[in-house]
Amino acid sequence: MKVAGFAGYSGSGKTTLIEQIIPLLRQQGLRVSVVKHAHHRFDIDHPGKDSHRHREAGAFEVVIASDRRLALVREFERPAQLTVHQMLAELYDGVDWVLVEGFKESDILKVEVWRAPEPGREERPVRYPEDDFVAAVATDSPGLLPVPTQLPVLDLNQPAQVVQWLLQQADRFEYDGDMRGGLL
């Protein structure tokens, strides 16, 4: 599988870009998965449902499946911060591309998503000058990047361009969990 990270500050457009990239990769006949880092408490289970009742009764894991989807809910006995590699290990082996949202400090190749600050807003720092795992920058304001770069600069508003670049660079994004991020 190939793994491409998308990192940037909240509001930079990561989710929107990934949302646009998924169908473009699917049109190429590729199977796509997403790994998302959640900063906030979240739940996919609802009170009153059998699976929620099982979890509340103390089940460590509950797997819910139908003829259309499968979900695994795992309860940690104490707070845990999973690495991107631990989350990738949970995915189906037959996926072609995994798009990772968040995990900006991870050691996987990533596209930094950056937008210039709105008037009156604080400027957001960029990671690409110090992060060797940033392979490209996607922005809607290339002329306003705070630090010049030799990295490819992709148009954040042209997801087809981002997909074309990913497919051209596919070998670089090949993931081997033992390689800790696929830097070739």
Side-chain angles (χ1 to χ4, degrees):
M1 81 176 125
K2 290 152 186 49
V3 175
F6 291 83
Y9 284 89
S10 178
S12 63
K14 299 180 304 293
T15 300
T16 300
L17 181 59
I18 290 171
E19 182 180 43
Q20 295 169 335
I21 288 173
I22 293 168
L24 295 172
L25 288 171
R26 298 273 300 139
Q27 287 172 7
Q28 301 289 319
L30 301 169
R31 183 176 283 154
V32 181
S33 292
V34 175
V35 169
K36 166 83 170 105
H37 183 257
H39 289 286
H40 311 290
R41 185 175 177 93
F42 76 97
D43 203 340
I44 63 167
D45 213 356
H46 304 287
K49 296 292 184 183
D50 293 349
S51 55
H52 186 268
R53 292 172 58 191
H54 297 150
R55 203 178 64 177
E56 289 295 309
F60 174 66
E61 292 180 323
V62 177
V63 177
I64 309 153
S66 72
D67 63 345
R68 303 298 263 153
R69 80 185 37 93
L70 174 140
L72 166 66
V73 179
R74 182 177 299 151
E75 290 292 314
F76 297 118
E77 280 103 9
R78 34 188 113 97
Q81 292 295 321
L82 297 180
T83 69
V84 68
H85 301 287
Q86 290 168 316
M87 292 179 73
L88 288 167
E90 296 289 332
L91 296 178
Y92 173 66
D93 287 340
V95 69
D96 297 303
W97 280 88
V98 179
L99 307 179
V100 176
E101 182 176 344
F103 293 98
K104 65 183 172 203
E105 296 185 21
S106 70
D107 58 353
I108 60 169
L109 282 180
K110 57 186 115 5
V111 174
E112 182 167 357
V113 180
W114 185 84
R115 285 190 192 273
E118 295 176 12
R121 298 283 228 156
E122 184 178 321
E123 185 166 319
R124 296 173 174 158
V126 290
R127 299 187 59 80
Y128 59 83
E130 288 87 35
D131 186 344
D132 292 335
F133 291 93
V134 174
V137 178
T139 182
D140 59 354
S141 307
L144 297 177
L145 286 171
V147 179
T149 183
Q150 296 299 311
L151 294 171
V153 177
L154 309 171
D155 188 336
L156 182 58
N157 296 317
Q158 297 295 324
Q161 179 192 74
V162 177
V163 168
Q164 181 181 12
W165 181 82
L166 286 171
L167 294 174
Q168 289 170 346
Q169 301 292 314
D171 289 346
R172 291 182 67 198
F173 290 93
E174 191 63 42
Y175 180 79
D176 177 350
D178 295 332
M179 293 172 56
R180 309 251 337 136
L183 273 182
L184 301 178

